[in-house]
C-alpha cells in the first residue's frame, strides 16, 4: 500500500530536549516536504526536498533542520525545541516530473508535538 | 512573496444548495492544488490544476483556475453532508517548489 509514514504520532517533551520526527515514503517519490498546522494559520511549509541531498527552506524554517540521505526518508529535527514549536506536523511526498511538482502530494497522518 | 487568500473562511450551507469557494493569490503561479481535510485527519488531494483555464470535476466538486486573474474557484453543487470538511487551496510559488497554503475554508453542510 502506498503510504507516507510518520513517527511518532504523538509526543510530549520538554524545552531544549532534541527530538527527531521521522518520515518515510514507499512510492519512490523525489519530492518530500514538511508542514506545520496551527489554528488560524493554516499549513505552513517548513522545508522541502527535491531529491537526495537537495533541500530548501519553506516559509518557516527557523528552529528546524532536515536531511535527505536516502530517497525514502526525510526526518525533521528539532535541535532545541521551544514551546512555540508545539504544533501538528505533516510530512508529504510527491513525484517530481518534468522539472516541477505537478502531481498531488500524499500526506502522512500527522505528528502532534507538545513542547512544555 | 506569495500570499494566498481564501474566501470565505467559514461556510455553513444547507444540503442541496450550491456555493463557491474562492482562492486568490498574489503573484504568478503555474499550478494550484486543492485539498480536503476532515476533522482530526490528514489532508487528501482533490485537484491539481496546471494551466490557465483548467477545469476539473469530481462528483459534486468542480475546480477551475484563471492564472491571469490569479484566482481559483472550488464550486460545490447540490451539497451533501459528506462534503463537510475544511478545504485548502495551495498555489505553487513560481520559480521554486515552495507551496503556500490558504488558511482553509471550513464547510459545514446542514441537513
Amino acid at each position: 500500500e502506498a503510504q507516507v509514514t510518520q513517527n511518532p504520532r504523538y509526543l510530549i517533551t520538554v524545552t531544549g530536549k532534541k527530538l527527531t520526527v521521522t518520515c518515510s515514503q514507499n512510492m519512490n517519490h523525489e519530492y518530500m516536504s514538511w508542514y506545520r498546522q496551527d489554528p488560524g494559520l493554516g499549513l505552513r511549509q517548513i522545508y522541502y526536498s527535491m531529491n537526495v541531498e537537495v533541500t530548501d527552506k519553506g516559509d518557516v524554517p527557523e528552529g528546524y533542520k532536515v536531511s535527505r540521505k536516502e530517497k525514502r526518508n526525510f526526518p525533521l529535527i528539532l535541535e532545541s525545541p521551544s514551546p512555540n514549536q508545539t504544533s501538528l506536523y505533516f510530512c508529504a511526498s510527491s513525484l517530481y516530473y518534468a522539472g516541477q511538482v505537478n502531481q498531488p502530494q500524499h500526506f502522512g497522518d500527522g505528528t502532534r508535538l507538545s513542547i512544555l | 512573496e506569495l500570499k494566498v487568500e481564501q474566501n470565505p473562511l467559514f461556510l455553513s450551507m444547507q444540503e442541496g444548495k450550491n456555493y463557491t469557494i474562492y482562492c486568490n493569490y498574489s503573484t504568478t503561479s503555474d499550478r494550484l492544488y486543492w485539498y480536503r481535510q476532515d476533522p482530526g485527519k490528514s489532508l487528501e488531494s482533490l485537484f491539481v490544476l496546471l494551466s490557465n483555464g483548467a477545469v476539473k470535476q469530481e462528483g459534486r466538486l468542480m475546480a477551475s483556475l484563471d492564472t491571469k486573474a490569479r484566482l481559483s474557484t472550488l464550486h460545490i453543487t447540490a451539497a451533501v453532508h459528506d462534503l463537510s470538511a475544511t478545504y485548502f487551496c495551495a498555489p505553487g510559488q513560481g520559480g521554486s517548489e515552495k507551496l503556500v497554503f490558504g488558511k482553509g475554508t471550513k464547510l459545514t453542510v446542514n441537513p
Side-chain angles (χ1 to χ4, degrees):
Chain A
E1 181 192 346
Q3 59 187 6
V4 178
T5 304
Q6 294 179 229
N7 280 296
R9 293 290 314 280
Y10 305 92
L11 179 64
I12 301 174
T13 187
V14 295
T15 299
K17 186 175 179 183
K18 181 179 178 181
L19 68 92
T20 299
V21 184
T22 63
C23 174
S24 181
Q25 50 93 5
N26 63 0
M27 295 167 279
N28 202 34
H29 285 167
E30 294 83 5
Y31 183 89
M32 297 185 74
S33 184
W34 276 104
Y35 302 91
R36 61 177 288 174
Q37 185 173 29
D38 301 289
L41 295 176
L43 278 94
R44 294 177 291 167
Q45 193 172 39
I46 303 171
Y47 271 95
Y48 62 95
S49 168
M50 287 183 282
N51 216 324
V52 175
E53 303 291 0
V54 181
T55 63
D56 210 344
K57 296 177 181 178
D59 283 329
V60 288
E62 295 79 19
Y64 304 95
K65 284 176 59 177
V66 292
S67 68
R68 189 90 182 272
K69 293 185 170 57
E70 303 166 284
K71 197 173 185 179
R72 65 181 292 127
N73 296 322
F74 190 44
L76 179 70
I77 304 154
L78 285 72
E79 294 264 2
S80 183
S82 63
N84 64 13
Q85 293 177 299
T86 292
S87 187
L88 177 59
Y89 291 85
F90 288 102
C91 179
S93 73
S94 176
L95 284 171
Y96 184 68
Y97 177 75
Q100 66 176 195
V101 178
N102 53 18
Q103 301 292 321
Q105 293 188 43
H106 298 255
F107 280 78
D109 288 336
T111 295
R112 190 167 290 282
L113 282 183
S114 293
I115 299 161
L116 307 175
Chain B
E1 184 188 339
L2 179 59
K3 303 271 187 209
V4 183
E5 188 175 316
Q6 272 185 249
N7 284 293
L9 296 181
F10 299 93
L11 176 56
S12 181
M13 57 191 296
Q14 283 189 307
E15 281 191 329
K17 298 291 188 184
N18 304 331
Y19 208 84
T20 300
I21 298 170
Y22 297 89
C23 175
N24 291 272
Y25 52 96
S26 61
T27 64
T28 302
S29 175
D30 53 5
R31 62 202 183 283
L32 189 137
Y33 307 83
W34 282 96
Y35 289 92
R36 168 184 172 142
Q37 186 179 34
D38 293 308
K41 302 287 188 184
S42 185
L43 281 87
E44 172 193 346
S45 174
L46 293 174
F47 302 108
V48 181
L49 303 167
L50 297 174
S51 60
N52 185 41
V55 177
K56 292 203 174 174
Q57 182 163 6
E58 180 77 33
R60 300 173 188 274
L61 299 177
M62 183 172 72
S64 66
L65 179 61
D66 182 342
T67 58
K68 291 176 183 169
R70 296 176 188 161
L71 171 68
S72 180
T73 61
L74 181 67
H75 186 72
I76 302 151
T77 301
V80 293
H81 180 70
D82 284 352
L83 290 178
S84 296
T86 299
Y87 294 85
F88 293 94
C89 68
Q93 191 157 298
S96 80
E97 297 307 330
K98 267 190 186 182
L99 206 57
V100 180
F101 280 75
K103 287 188 167 46
T105 296
K106 185 173 182 180
L107 171 66
T108 303
V109 181
N110 302 304

